[in-house]
Amino acid sequence: MKLVLVFVLAAIPICCYAGDDSSNCLAMDDVIAQLINSSVPVDDFQGVIKSYARLPYDENAVAKVKECYLDQSEETLDSYQVMMDAIYNSEDCS
Ligand SMILES: *[C@@H]1O[C@H](CO)[C@@H](O)[C@H](O)[C@H]1NC(C)=O
């Protein structure tokens, strides 16, 4: 799971600056939301990544990442959202 997250973070240029409005993190939020939403099929997720990616990336890897999340239970996906919220709300990320 950690590797998966690292991959997603690396594929998207993130411009979340401390002290800035959280709108800078919209792209990342959107990708995470699409990733953990079990109603979003692999193809749709590819489209989301394509719209944000500024660097070449491996589409097969993106599909594998999404498939990995689709295999998780709703409970696991909910926990993932809780974890992301905790990270975003932590002092180091405010
Ligand atoms: C999940 O994705 C579907 C299809 O795009 C969307 O209708 C739904 O609102 C999303 N659910 C959440 C919790 O974002």
Side-chain angles (χ1 to χ4, degrees), residues 16-20 22 25 84-94:
C16 300
Y17 303 111
D20 256 353
S22 66
C25 300
M84 292 312 294
D85 288 345
I87 292 172
Y88 287 152
N89 294 330
S90 69
E91 273 181 38
D92 289 342
C93 203
S94 60

Side-chain angles (χ1 to χ4, degrees), residues 33-34 37-40 44:
Q34 306 292 324
N37 185 339
S38 57
S39 308
V40 176
D44 287 6

